[in-house]
Amino acid sequence: MSDALLPAPADEMTAVWWDATRERRLLVQTCTACGHRQHPPRALCTGCGSTEHLDHLEATGLGRVDACTVVERAPAEGLATPYVLARVRLAEGVILLTTVETPAPHDVAIGDPVRLTWRALSDGRRLPTFEPAPEENR
Ligand code: ZN
């Protein structure tokens, strides 16, 4: 797949998160004051409002499909259809808007266990995507 949907460049808030993707590490922002976890990274904790206690933990890469749809018509040139657009709830609790990579897109259902995989971008960053993981995640 091309970089048809290359995400915006990292900014001050997201640089740590994007840099970790270069090493295939998926970070989840956490608040050491109240324990809240959030995604994407923000300047303050949406749980307690702290700006001083934000840290990151590395996700296990396991999750479940929270919602999904099969995209049949590409929204931009260079995207191969059909593909599965999904909300995935990580084991760490946060939700990512992502894709589920599978040869059988119509078989993906809400509640399915998935595991992290990566799609390389032309600038060295990687996008977290997911694939069905029927064995590992029950
Ligand atoms: Zn907090």
Side-chain angles (χ1 to χ4, degrees):
M1 186 175 285
S2 75
D3 285 355
L5 296 179
L6 188 67
D11 59 24
E12 188 184 339
M13 211 50 256
T14 60
V16 169
W17 190 90
W18 278 116
D19 282 348
T21 70
R22 298 173 188 274
E23 303 165 348
R24 294 185 169 83
R25 296 186 301 123
L26 177 60
L27 298 183
V28 174
Q29 193 178 42
T30 63
C31 175
T32 57
C34 74
H36 182 70
R37 295 170 180 173
Q38 59 191 14
H39 180 83
R42 296 177 178 90
L44 59 79
C45 170
T46 58
C48 72
S50 172
T51 56
E52 313 270 301
H53 298 90
L54 295 171
D55 199 356
H56 293 90
L57 66 82
E58 192 171 331
T60 58
L62 297 178
R64 280 186 190 275
V65 175
D66 180 75
C68 61
T69 188
V70 177
V71 177
E72 304 279 1
R73 208 175 124 190
E77 248 178 83
L79 289 171
T81 56
Y83 64 89
V84 180
L85 182 64
R87 281 168 35 124
V88 166
R89 185 177 293 278
L90 296 181
E92 289 74 19
V94 300
I95 285 183
L96 268 66
L97 186 60
T98 182
T99 56
V100 177
E101 311 287 328
T102 171
H106 293 277
D107 292 349
V108 176
I110 291 170
D112 282 0
V114 289
R115 71 172 162 234
L116 179 63
T117 178
W118 295 98
R119 182 188 305 156
L121 299 171
S122 61
D123 62 3
R125 295 182 294 169
R126 290 183 173 84
L127 273 182
T129 62
F130 289 79
E131 61 187 13
E135 311 280 302
E136 297 174 31
N137 207 6
R138 294 187 189 271

